[in-house]
Amino acid sequence: MRLRQKRLIITKAGIVCCRGMKIAMLAPIAWRTPPVHYGPWEQITSLLTEELVKLGVEVTLFATGNSITKARLQAVCLLGYEEDRDINAKVWESLHISECFENAREFDIIHNQFDFLPLSYSRLVQTPVVSTIHGFSSRSILPVYKKHNIDGHYVSISNADRAEELDYIATVYHGIDLGQFTFNDNPQDYLLFYGRIHHDKGAKEAIAIAQALGKRLIIAGIIQDENYFRQHIQPHLKPGKIEYIGSVGPERRNELLSNASVLLHPINFKEPFGLSVVESMASGTPVVAFNKGSMPELIDHEQDGFLAENIDEAVEMVKNIGFINRKACRKKVEDHFSKERMCQNYLAVYREILNR
């Protein structure tokens, strides 16, 4: 691999940037980068890419052709396959990934945000590959990660989402753009569920909590399981009581989160991270979440939110949500989950790999 001279620059604020470093950022192609409304992997890829560019890193973003970036965009697939269902996902994923690895010699590092498939290309190139593991869809994908464990560089997005069979170079928490979230210390009297409409995310449980309290609940998010929606959500919908408003873009998301009295996050799986949790807290809105997966890493119980074991506990915690200081919620995100902090942590990962 060709070695390039890279200059480390430390600013007065203590921020480290690396001029001359060349990164290939391999995004998923389910959605545009950044997404119009839904697409958490694409959202994180976009935030990291733009922050790296701001610090002087040369980034080539491999993403859909309609993506928006200040990096150099390289694309073979015009639209995301979730945006155009006529697109054959497997075909265009293969073309997309191979486009990146066929140009590997141009880069110091390939940052894989695409899941396990790019790992099968990694031993065909000399350029080191960093893989952010955004979660395991099932244990059935672990053999690919295990095969490349010895020469791969794996980053977990929470300590809770680590597979004991794998080695990790770091845990890097997701960061958000705090400028997109308006702090509000005077919320309205409604509960919010913001996430995929799927058993894992607990929309059914959110409805049960709201009904037990007699409070209005707004539900926002893509319908990922149509049967689940028809059986467990649709029968309860009633204007002014339980309302489903669909998937929302950044402006509407900001409005919903900042005005909610609480975000309900009664998950039924070990969630790897939970972007909606930190987005809610950035708005000052505390979260009542089921105590699973990464939730204890995001929420300090009774300080900036509540961790419940079941619906009954969640109901009681919502009754006490007024004891949570909304400013503490915002401060938590500023200190731990900003896009700037995320970027610096990834730069540390890149430097460690290149110094080896």
Side-chain angles (χ1 to χ4, degrees):
M1 183 178 71
R2 291 177 294 148
L3 297 178
R4 302 180 182 86
Q5 183 178 11
K6 287 166 277 292
R7 293 191 298 129
L8 292 180
I9 300 173
I10 304 178
T11 69
K12 291 181 179 179
I15 297 173
V16 179
C17 53
C18 194
R19 306 243 179 227
M21 183 186 289
K22 293 192 174 184
I23 304 295
M25 191 68 67
L26 183 60
I29 55 168
W31 308 94
R32 189 193 79 177
T33 300
V36 176
H37 51 93
Y38 179 79
W41 296 16
E42 289 86 352
Q43 180 64 34
I44 292 303
T45 303
S46 175
L47 288 171
L48 176 58
T49 296
E50 303 313 304
E51 199 63 25
L52 288 169
V53 170
K54 189 186 300 182
L55 293 178
V57 179
E58 295 182 50
V59 183
T60 298
L61 175 64
F62 290 83
T64 61
N66 63 338
S67 294
I68 300 171
T69 181
K70 291 183 179 178
R72 174 174 174 258
L73 178 63
Q74 195 156 335
V76 294
C77 187
L78 179 60
L79 299 172
Y81 56 77
E82 292 289 355
E83 298 166 313
D84 182 353
R85 292 304 178 91
D86 291 331
I87 292 174
N88 186 314
K90 290 297 181 185
V91 169
W92 288 95
E93 283 180 343
S94 297
L95 292 171
H96 173 66
I97 296 168
S98 61
E99 177 74 9
C100 177
F101 280 84
E102 286 167 8
N103 291 280
R105 68 180 63 188
E106 297 180 14
F107 306 104
D108 298 303
I109 285 176
I110 295 172
H111 191 154
N112 165 35
Q113 305 269 7
F114 198 98
D115 212 6
F116 63 90
L117 188 56
L119 291 173
S120 61
Y121 293 73
S122 62
R123 291 183 181 173
L124 304 177
V125 301
Q126 292 182 316
T127 306
V129 178
V130 177
S131 294
T132 295
I133 303 178
H134 288 269
F136 300 97
S137 53
S138 75
R139 289 190 61 83
S140 64
I141 69 175
L142 268 172
V144 182
Y145 287 105
K146 289 168 68 175
K147 175 181 178 179
H148 296 277
N149 189 49
I150 192 169
D151 48 49
H153 305 284
Y154 299 150
V155 174
S156 56
I157 59 175
S158 68
N159 294 325
D161 195 54
R162 288 191 166 201
E164 61 182 16
E165 302 96 324
L166 303 181
D167 298 315
Y168 294 83
I169 191 169
T171 290
V172 178
Y173 293 123
H174 287 340
I176 64 172
D177 182 354
L178 282 147
Q180 292 187 355
F181 300 92
T182 304
F183 174 77
N184 181 14
D185 210 14
N186 296 290
Q188 299 174 21
D189 189 25
Y190 68 84
L191 314 180
L192 177 65
F193 174 90
Y194 177 62
R196 295 178 285 122
I197 311 304
H198 187 280
H199 168 75
D200 284 352
K201 287 289 193 174
K204 173 185 173 183
E205 287 75 11
I207 290 174
I209 293 167
Q211 289 176 333
L213 291 161
K215 285 188 172 289
R216 180 188 179 201
L217 173 68
I218 297 176
I219 300 171
I222 64 167
I223 298 175
Q224 196 171 54
D225 187 328
E226 291 282 355
N227 289 332
Y228 177 84
F229 177 79
R230 284 195 297 267
Q231 291 179 24
H232 302 295
I233 309 305
Q234 200 166 39
H236 300 283
L237 298 181
K238 185 177 180 181
K241 296 293 184 181
I242 309 293
E243 301 170 284
Y244 172 65
I245 62 171
S247 186
V248 297
E251 290 185 8
R252 182 68 170 131
R253 173 192 63 189
N254 179 42
E255 179 186 340
L256 287 168
L257 289 172
S258 64
N259 287 311
S261 61
V262 60
L263 177 77
L264 299 180
H265 201 67
I267 51 175
N268 291 307
F269 76 124
K270 295 179 179 179
E271 187 160 30
F273 187 77
L275 265 179
S276 61
V277 172
V278 296
E279 289 172 346
S280 180
M281 294 168 67
S283 306
T285 300
V287 181
V288 173
F290 279 2
N291 190 13
K292 300 177 187 294
S294 63
M295 292 303 104
E297 295 176 57
L298 308 186
I299 299 169
D300 288 322
H301 182 61
E302 297 183 342
Q303 294 184 40
D304 45 45
F306 289 110
L307 298 171
E309 299 297 332
N310 51 51
I311 290 173
D312 290 340
E313 282 193 8
V315 169
E316 294 305 310
M317 290 170 181
V318 172
K319 291 178 182 177
N320 291 304
I321 206 67
F323 291 105
I324 300 297
N325 186 327
R326 292 175 72 95
K327 291 180 181 178
C329 297
R330 175 78 177 195
K331 185 67 162 55
K332 175 71 169 291
V333 180
E334 290 174 345
D335 290 346
H336 299 283
F337 305 116
S338 69
K339 62 184 176 66
E340 291 83 3
R341 182 174 181 133
M342 174 179 67
C343 182
Q344 288 300 315
N345 288 339
Y346 273 118
L347 278 172
V349 170
Y350 299 160
R351 290 194 301 273
E352 181 176 345
I353 292 169
L354 292 176
N355 287 337
R356 291 178 180 180

